[in-house]
Every structure is written in structure tokens, then in C-alpha cells.
Amino acid sequence: MLHDAGFPASKPPAELISAKTDHLKTFDELIAEAKQEGIRTKKSWESVLRTKLAPYERWMDSNKAFDDKVENASRTVVNDHAKELIRVWG
């Protein structure tokens, strides 16, 4: 969402761009690709997904401000950090 909204970041690697949308692949797209590739290569889809996520992590890590913003947003969404801050400061 941040990238689509124009948050400053370098151009993502080609393997992260969806041929269908011409935008970053969604997590669901990556999972679907990993499952298909896992069947084709007889590997677990989880190991294929880890490989597919590596370029994404490298790209994000190379864009510090973007990476920091994504990390902060994900922490707030997926854990109780916000609740803890409210409890501590409330």
C-alpha cells in the first residue's frame, strides 16, 4: 500500500512485479506461485515461498525509510504494541 501510494523507494526488482497488475505482487499471489512451483518442483511450498520473499526483503532493506515505515506499520497491525503503549501512557 505504501509503495502504491507513492512512498519514496527505489524501483522494485522485476521478479516482484505482477504481470497481471504491473504492481508489486500481493502476498496471496506469492503464495499461489509458491504452491504451483512447489508442486512442479516437488519442493515444499513454504521453502519456495521463503526463496520468493528473499528479493522482497533485500529490496525493502535497501530502502531504509520505506523499510522502517513498513516495519512500524506491521508491528502496530500484527501485535499488541499499540495496546501496550496505551496501557503504559494511558
Side-chain angles (χ1 to χ4, degrees), residues 55-72:
Y56 185 75
E57 282 298 318
R58 284 192 298 273
W59 172 68
M60 282 187 35
D61 288 345
S62 72
N63 292 276
K64 178 154 177 42
F66 183 71
D67 190 39
D68 289 347
K69 192 70 144 177
V70 169
E71 291 292 330
N72 288 338

mmCIF file of all heavy atoms in Angstrom, residues 55-72:
data_model
loop_
_atom_site.group_PDB
_atom_site.id
_atom_site.type_symbol
_atom_site.label_atom_id
_atom_site.label_comp_id
_atom_site.label_asym_id
_atom_site.label_seq_id
_atom_site.Cartn_x
_atom_site.Cartn_y
_atom_site.Cartn_z
ATOM 1 N N PRO A 55 14.051 -11.664 -2.373
ATOM 2 C CA PRO A 55 14.269 -10.422 -3.114
ATOM 3 C C PRO A 55 13.447 -9.259 -2.542
ATOM 4 O O PRO A 55 13.895 -8.111 -2.551
ATOM 5 C CB PRO A 55 13.802 -10.742 -4.547
ATOM 6 C CG PRO A 55 13.776 -12.212 -4.636
ATOM 7 C CD PRO A 55 13.552 -12.724 -3.247
ATOM 8 N N TYR A 56 12.269 -9.569 -2.032
ATOM 9 C CA TYR A 56 11.418 -8.545 -1.423
ATOM 10 C C TYR A 56 12.112 -7.961 -0.187
ATOM 11 O O TYR A 56 12.187 -6.746 -0.019
ATOM 12 C CB TYR A 56 10.062 -9.156 -1.056
ATOM 13 C CG TYR A 56 9.064 -8.173 -0.524
ATOM 14 C CD1 TYR A 56 8.414 -7.287 -1.376
ATOM 15 C CD2 TYR A 56 8.776 -8.125 0.826
ATOM 16 C CE1 TYR A 56 7.495 -6.383 -0.886
ATOM 17 C CE2 TYR A 56 7.852 -7.228 1.330
ATOM 18 C CZ TYR A 56 7.216 -6.355 0.465
ATOM 19 O OH TYR A 56 6.321 -5.449 0.953
ATOM 20 N N GLU A 57 12.648 -8.835 0.658
ATOM 21 C CA GLU A 57 13.353 -8.374 1.863
ATOM 22 C C GLU A 57 14.586 -7.557 1.494
ATOM 23 O O GLU A 57 14.848 -6.523 2.105
ATOM 24 C CB GLU A 57 13.748 -9.562 2.742
ATOM 25 C CG GLU A 57 12.618 -10.116 3.558
ATOM 26 C CD GLU A 57 12.049 -9.112 4.551
ATOM 27 O OE1 GLU A 57 12.830 -8.378 5.212
ATOM 28 O OE2 GLU A 57 10.820 -9.053 4.666
ATOM 29 N N ARG A 58 15.357 -8.028 0.514
ATOM 30 C CA ARG A 58 16.552 -7.284 0.092
ATOM 31 C C ARG A 58 16.168 -5.910 -0.445
ATOM 32 O O ARG A 58 16.826 -4.913 -0.147
ATOM 33 C CB ARG A 58 17.337 -8.077 -0.954
ATOM 34 C CG ARG A 58 18.136 -9.219 -0.367
ATOM 35 C CD ARG A 58 19.122 -9.808 -1.376
ATOM 36 N NE ARG A 58 18.492 -10.374 -2.548
ATOM 37 C CZ ARG A 58 18.041 -11.626 -2.634
ATOM 38 N NH1 ARG A 58 18.163 -12.446 -1.623
ATOM 39 N NH2 ARG A 58 17.484 -12.052 -3.749
ATOM 40 N N TRP A 59 15.085 -5.844 -1.230
ATOM 41 C CA TRP A 59 14.643 -4.568 -1.787
ATOM 42 C C TRP A 59 14.201 -3.631 -0.672
ATOM 43 O O TRP A 59 14.581 -2.457 -0.643
ATOM 44 C CB TRP A 59 13.503 -4.802 -2.792
ATOM 45 C CG TRP A 59 12.858 -3.544 -3.258
ATOM 46 C CD1 TRP A 59 13.428 -2.582 -4.041
ATOM 47 C CD2 TRP A 59 11.539 -3.098 -2.972
ATOM 48 N NE1 TRP A 59 12.535 -1.573 -4.258
ATOM 49 C CE2 TRP A 59 11.368 -1.858 -3.618
ATOM 50 C CE3 TRP A 59 10.485 -3.633 -2.239
ATOM 51 C CZ2 TRP A 59 10.178 -1.142 -3.546
ATOM 52 C CZ3 TRP A 59 9.304 -2.921 -2.170
ATOM 53 C CH2 TRP A 59 9.155 -1.699 -2.812
ATOM 54 N N MET A 60 13.400 -4.146 0.262
ATOM 55 C CA MET A 60 12.948 -3.295 1.362
ATOM 56 C C MET A 60 14.134 -2.836 2.205
ATOM 57 O O MET A 60 14.200 -1.667 2.590
ATOM 58 C CB MET A 60 11.931 -4.036 2.228
ATOM 59 C CG MET A 60 10.567 -4.068 1.580
ATOM 60 S SD MET A 60 9.255 -4.742 2.611
ATOM 61 C CE MET A 60 9.635 -4.250 4.234
ATOM 62 N N ASP A 61 15.059 -3.728 2.519
ATOM 63 C CA ASP A 61 16.213 -3.366 3.338
ATOM 64 C C ASP A 61 17.092 -2.321 2.662
ATOM 65 O O ASP A 61 17.769 -1.556 3.338
ATOM 66 C CB ASP A 61 17.048 -4.596 3.673
ATOM 67 C CG ASP A 61 16.369 -5.512 4.676
ATOM 68 O OD1 ASP A 61 15.385 -5.076 5.327
ATOM 69 O OD2 ASP A 61 16.797 -6.673 4.798
ATOM 70 N N SER A 62 17.076 -2.270 1.337
ATOM 71 C CA SER A 62 17.884 -1.281 0.617
ATOM 72 C C SER A 62 17.210 0.096 0.589
ATOM 73 O O SER A 62 17.807 1.062 0.131
ATOM 74 C CB SER A 62 18.174 -1.749 -0.808
ATOM 75 O OG SER A 62 17.011 -1.682 -1.611
ATOM 76 N N ASN A 63 16.000 0.189 1.085
ATOM 77 C CA ASN A 63 15.238 1.445 1.146
ATOM 78 C C ASN A 63 14.884 1.712 2.615
ATOM 79 O O ASN A 63 13.790 1.418 3.068
ATOM 80 C CB ASN A 63 13.951 1.321 0.323
ATOM 81 C CG ASN A 63 14.214 1.218 -1.149
ATOM 82 O OD1 ASN A 63 14.387 2.215 -1.812
ATOM 83 N ND2 ASN A 63 14.265 -0.007 -1.658
ATOM 84 N N LYS A 64 15.841 2.278 3.363
ATOM 85 C CA LYS A 64 15.716 2.372 4.810
ATOM 86 C C LYS A 64 14.432 3.062 5.266
ATOM 87 O O LYS A 64 13.717 2.527 6.114
ATOM 88 C CB LYS A 64 16.920 3.081 5.416
ATOM 89 C CG LYS A 64 16.774 3.221 6.930
ATOM 90 C CD LYS A 64 18.059 3.307 7.628
ATOM 91 C CE LYS A 64 17.929 3.525 9.110
ATOM 92 N NZ LYS A 64 16.928 2.783 9.830
ATOM 93 N N ALA A 65 14.117 4.223 4.739
ATOM 94 C CA ALA A 65 12.913 4.945 5.188
ATOM 95 C C ALA A 65 11.658 4.126 4.907
ATOM 96 O O ALA A 65 10.751 4.039 5.739
ATOM 97 C CB ALA A 65 12.827 6.313 4.519
ATOM 98 N N PHE A 66 11.612 3.498 3.737
ATOM 99 C CA PHE A 66 10.474 2.665 3.358
ATOM 100 C C PHE A 66 10.389 1.447 4.280
ATOM 101 O O PHE A 66 9.325 1.126 4.809
ATOM 102 C CB PHE A 66 10.640 2.229 1.900
ATOM 103 C CG PHE A 66 9.498 1.424 1.348
ATOM 104 C CD1 PHE A 66 8.279 2.018 1.090
ATOM 105 C CD2 PHE A 66 9.653 0.079 1.074
ATOM 106 C CE1 PHE A 66 7.225 1.271 0.573
ATOM 107 C CE2 PHE A 66 8.611 -0.671 0.558
ATOM 108 C CZ PHE A 66 7.397 -0.067 0.308
ATOM 109 N N ASP A 67 11.516 0.799 4.499
ATOM 110 C CA ASP A 67 11.568 -0.389 5.359
ATOM 111 C C ASP A 67 11.138 -0.044 6.782
ATOM 112 O O ASP A 67 10.344 -0.765 7.389
ATOM 113 C CB ASP A 67 12.971 -0.972 5.344
ATOM 114 C CG ASP A 67 13.058 -2.341 6.009
ATOM 115 O OD1 ASP A 67 12.120 -3.148 5.837
ATOM 116 O OD2 ASP A 67 14.062 -2.598 6.677
ATOM 117 N N ASP A 68 11.643 1.067 7.314
ATOM 118 C CA ASP A 68 11.264 1.481 8.672
ATOM 119 C C ASP A 68 9.769 1.735 8.773
ATOM 120 O O ASP A 68 9.122 1.335 9.742
ATOM 121 C CB ASP A 68 12.023 2.743 9.087
ATOM 122 C CG ASP A 68 13.500 2.493 9.336
ATOM 123 O OD1 ASP A 68 13.904 1.314 9.427
ATOM 124 O OD2 ASP A 68 14.251 3.484 9.420
ATOM 125 N N LYS A 69 9.201 2.395 7.779
ATOM 126 C CA LYS A 69 7.769 2.704 7.784
ATOM 127 C C LYS A 69 6.939 1.415 7.729
ATOM 128 O O LYS A 69 5.966 1.270 8.469
ATOM 129 C CB LYS A 69 7.438 3.599 6.585
ATOM 130 C CG LYS A 69 6.092 4.212 6.615
ATOM 131 C CD LYS A 69 6.034 5.243 7.692
ATOM 132 C CE LYS A 69 5.177 6.401 7.280
ATOM 133 N NZ LYS A 69 5.051 7.374 8.348
ATOM 134 N N VAL A 70 7.332 0.491 6.870
ATOM 135 C CA VAL A 70 6.618 -0.786 6.757
ATOM 136 C C VAL A 70 6.724 -1.571 8.064
ATOM 137 O O VAL A 70 5.729 -2.113 8.551
ATOM 138 C CB VAL A 70 7.155 -1.617 5.570
ATOM 139 C CG1 VAL A 70 6.609 -3.030 5.599
ATOM 140 C CG2 VAL A 70 6.805 -0.946 4.253
ATOM 141 N N GLU A 71 7.922 -1.624 8.640
ATOM 142 C CA GLU A 71 8.122 -2.358 9.890
ATOM 143 C C GLU A 71 7.270 -1.772 11.014
ATOM 144 O O GLU A 71 6.622 -2.507 11.757
ATOM 145 C CB GLU A 71 9.599 -2.361 10.298
ATOM 146 C CG GLU A 71 10.480 -3.182 9.396
ATOM 147 C CD GLU A 71 10.203 -4.665 9.496
ATOM 148 O OE1 GLU A 71 9.789 -5.146 10.552
ATOM 149 O OE2 GLU A 71 10.407 -5.346 8.476
ATOM 150 N N ASN A 72 7.267 -0.451 11.131
ATOM 151 C CA ASN A 72 6.460 0.185 12.180
ATOM 152 C C ASN A 72 4.977 -0.088 11.976
ATOM 153 O O ASN A 72 4.253 -0.380 12.931
ATOM 154 C CB ASN A 72 6.725 1.688 12.226
ATOM 155 C CG ASN A 72 8.090 2.006 12.785
ATOM 156 O OD1 ASN A 72 8.683 1.216 13.501
ATOM 157 N ND2 ASN A 72 8.601 3.173 12.447
#
